[in-house]
Amino acid sequence: MNVIITPHTLQGTVEAPSSKSIGHRDLICAALAEGESLVDNISLSQDIEATCDILRALGADITPVMSSHPGRAAYRVRGGLKKQDGPIAVSANESGSTLRFLIPVAIFSGNEVTFSGQGRLAKRPLTPYYELFDEKGVAYETTEGALPLTVSGTLQPGTYSLAGDVSSQFFTGLLMTLPLLDGDSVLRSTTPLESASYVDMTLDCLRQHGIVIDKEWDGSYRIPGNQHYRPGTYVVEGDYSQAAFWLSAGSLGRAICCTGLRSQSSQGDEVIVSLIRDMGGQVEGKTELTACPSDLVGRVIDVEDCPDLVPVLTVLASCAKGITRIIHAGRVRLKECDRLHAMATELNKIGGDIEEEDEGLIIHGVGGFTGGTVSGWNDHRIAMALAVASQRCSQPLRIEGAECVRKSYPEFWQDFQALGGMIQKEGEE
């Protein structure tokens, strides 16, 4: 599906989707608990559905129930993964979180599990796990280092060391699984840990589900064994990584209020508020945040702990005065697409002035764009960032492959229209 946007400033109030990152974690924790849990206020997406499907294959009973939050989903989860009859084949679709979180969980379940994936996921790196499996004697079979990947065997308590400069998702997968082993473990990073805020989010979620992990002075994690997940009712908070699009849109257009967020969240992407303010923007409120139109100024932005914000920050910087440098962003080249190259390519097509560096971008403020045809690169965050940019276009903006927002935010275009966005859809299924 393609979307043609007639440039028009957005304005109004929108509820942030629930955090996909926390939704993954809550569902997995509930599936690992013995007993029945309720996970509520879930914004459905292809990634969340992939996680539910794999947990069901591993033996959890996950059933949709009525949510107490209008327009959202809820699941009753009867936990307790179990050995199935015969090998299991599952797909993580295009979700890196689903895959990397659930590989250790699958091994813990005692099953032989073959993981496949779609799009770029099949080629995204899994080397930190392979090196651990070689060291720990966990059986696995891969396809030239990529998916499909088959894992089997057992995890033993002990010391686990892996590189922290590839993805924090590997740490989350182990932090969720190691507390269940019959003995204590230590998890260490052999490099500085990037996206450490996502690991903090994991620890916060684990605490809520009854799991205690101690972070040591040297950055290692001491993990007592023989712990048990606590069943209960869990309500997923709003997602700052998705709210970032609306707060950015409010900074470039007219005032937008984004509701449903938790103040002082463990989500690293909450930093979008301070980043906009640092650029001269005005964002007011706590759980209901209102972004007002502002004259933004370029600056140096370190995204080591908030890589998902790169696409929309590139749009903000292009509309700011002066030069912005985005640094420590090399890992976003390994996401659903090479996001540095994608944003530079697409915005430069419509009048942007962006230079690529190995680990970031140099963005010269141009104030606005011409309009024309751009590609969503089959990447939800690219398509949504380009939609925000449409407010500053002088001519219509046509986004090809706009259906890719389904990965994380299927209601994006609906919310975009509710805020006054003027769109025409081509080739809708």
Side-chain angles (χ1 to χ4, degrees), residues 232-255:
T233 297
Y234 302 94
V235 179
V236 183
E237 66 183 75
D239 192 341
Y240 276 94
S241 66
Q242 307 290 29
F245 296 103
W246 304 126
L247 297 176
S248 299
S251 301
L252 300 180
R254 302 173 73 181

Side-chain angles (χ1 to χ4, degrees), residues 20 25 62 108 111 127 132 137 149 188 199 224 232 272 291 309 349 357 390:
K20 181 166 65 77
R25 289 164 170 80
I62 303 177
F108 173 77
N111 291 285
T127 305
L132 270 185
L149 164 69
R188 293 194 175 101
V199 176
I272 185 62
L309 298 181
K349 284 181 185 177
E357 298 182 307
S390 72

Side-chain angles (χ1 to χ4, degrees), residues 11-19 40-43 67-73 235-240 242-247 256-262 287-289 408-409 411-412 414-416 418-419:
Q11 184 180 29
T13 299
V14 62
E15 184 178 6
S18 68
S19 168
D40 201 351
N41 194 38
I42 293 176
S43 296
S67 173
S68 58
H69 300 262
R72 298 293 168 84
V235 179
V236 183
E237 66 183 75
D239 192 341
Y240 276 94
Q242 307 290 29
F245 296 103
W246 304 126
L247 297 176
I256 293 178
C257 177
C258 197
T259 66
L261 298 165
R262 171 185 165 192
T287 58
E288 294 189 357
L289 295 173
S408 66
Y409 193 169
E411 297 84 19
F412 176 81
Q414 177 182 326
D415 288 348
F416 186 85
L419 292 170

Side-chain angles (χ1 to χ4, degrees), residues 30-353:
L32 290 170
E34 295 290 344
E36 184 173 299
S37 298
L38 176 69
V39 182
D40 201 351
N41 194 38
I42 293 176
S43 296
L44 286 179
S45 65
Q46 290 176 333
D47 285 7
I48 289 291
E49 290 170 353
T51 290
C52 287
D53 288 344
I54 295 178
L55 291 172
R56 290 187 184 105
L58 296 176
D61 182 352
I62 303 177
T63 306
V65 295
M66 184 70 70
S67 173
S68 58
H69 300 262
R72 298 293 168 84
Y75 287 106
R76 184 183 67 238
V77 182
R78 290 193 178 97
L81 306 186
K82 51 186 78 75
K83 184 81 167 63
Q84 307 296 311
D85 294 331
I88 300 171
V90 297
S91 173
N93 201 343
E94 296 184 59
S95 175
S97 296
T98 300
L99 177 66
R100 290 165 173 170
F101 292 177
L102 289 180
I103 286 174
V105 172
I107 297 169
F108 173 77
S109 75
N111 291 285
E112 178 182 309
V113 183
T114 298
F115 289 89
S116 62
Q118 304 296 320
R120 275 173 58 99
L121 180 63
K123 300 296 183 183
R124 288 171 70 178
L126 292 169
T127 305
Y129 276 154
Y130 299 155
E131 292 175 347
L132 270 185
F133 296 162
D134 288 337
E135 176 188 343
K136 300 295 185 181
V138 176
Y140 70 98
E141 183 177 342
T142 181
T143 307
E144 297 180 352
L147 301 182
L149 164 69
T150 300
V151 293
S152 61
T154 58
L155 291 173
Q156 298 295 332
T159 298
Y160 288 74
S161 300
L162 70 164
D165 58 354
V166 180
S167 173
S168 64
Q169 293 168 347
F170 298 105
F171 285 80
T172 289
L174 290 167
L175 288 169
M176 288 181 158
T177 309
L178 294 179
L180 300 171
L181 304 185
D182 186 18
D184 299 346
S185 298
V186 175
L187 178 59
R188 293 194 175 101
S189 179
T190 58
T191 68
L193 179 58
E194 298 188 14
S195 295
S197 62
Y198 284 92
V199 176
D200 291 339
M201 183 195 303
T202 299
L203 296 177
D204 184 52
C205 183
L206 291 174
R207 278 192 294 270
Q208 294 180 45
H209 289 262
I211 299 295
V212 177
I213 293 175
D214 296 320
K215 185 176 181 179
E216 299 296 304
W217 63 270
D218 61 356
S220 63
Y221 301 92
R222 296 201 173 274
I223 307 165
N226 296 298
Q227 297 192 60
H228 301 279
Y229 282 86
R230 180 175 59 221
T233 297
Y234 302 94
V235 179
V236 183
E237 66 183 75
D239 192 341
Y240 276 94
S241 66
Q242 307 290 29
F245 296 103
W246 304 126
L247 297 176
S248 299
S251 301
L252 300 180
R254 302 173 73 181
I256 293 178
C257 177
C258 197
T259 66
L261 298 165
R262 171 185 165 192
S263 181
Q264 297 181 328
S265 170
S266 61
Q267 296 177 58
D269 288 340
E270 185 183 14
V271 75
I272 185 62
V273 176
S274 60
L275 290 177
I276 291 175
R277 288 171 178 165
D278 288 348
M279 296 179 75
Q282 183 180 358
V283 182
E284 302 173 344
K286 292 185 177 180
T287 58
E288 294 189 357
L289 295 173
T290 299
C292 300
S294 307
D295 293 325
L296 304 179
V297 179
R299 51 157 292 180
V300 175
I301 304 176
D302 188 334
V303 297
E304 181 176 356
D305 244 9
C306 56
D308 284 343
L309 298 181
V310 166
V312 78
L313 287 173
T314 307
V315 172
L316 282 176
S318 292
C319 297
K321 296 177 182 177
I323 297 174
T324 296
R325 285 194 66 208
I326 292 178
I327 63 173
H328 294 149
R331 286 178 306 117
V332 305
R333 294 190 183 278
L334 303 174
K335 296 287 188 175
E336 284 80 346
C337 72
D338 178 343
R339 288 178 175 166
L340 296 181
H341 184 60
M343 289 307 299
T345 298
E346 301 311 315
L347 291 184
N348 285 345
K349 284 181 185 177
I350 57 174
D353 186 356

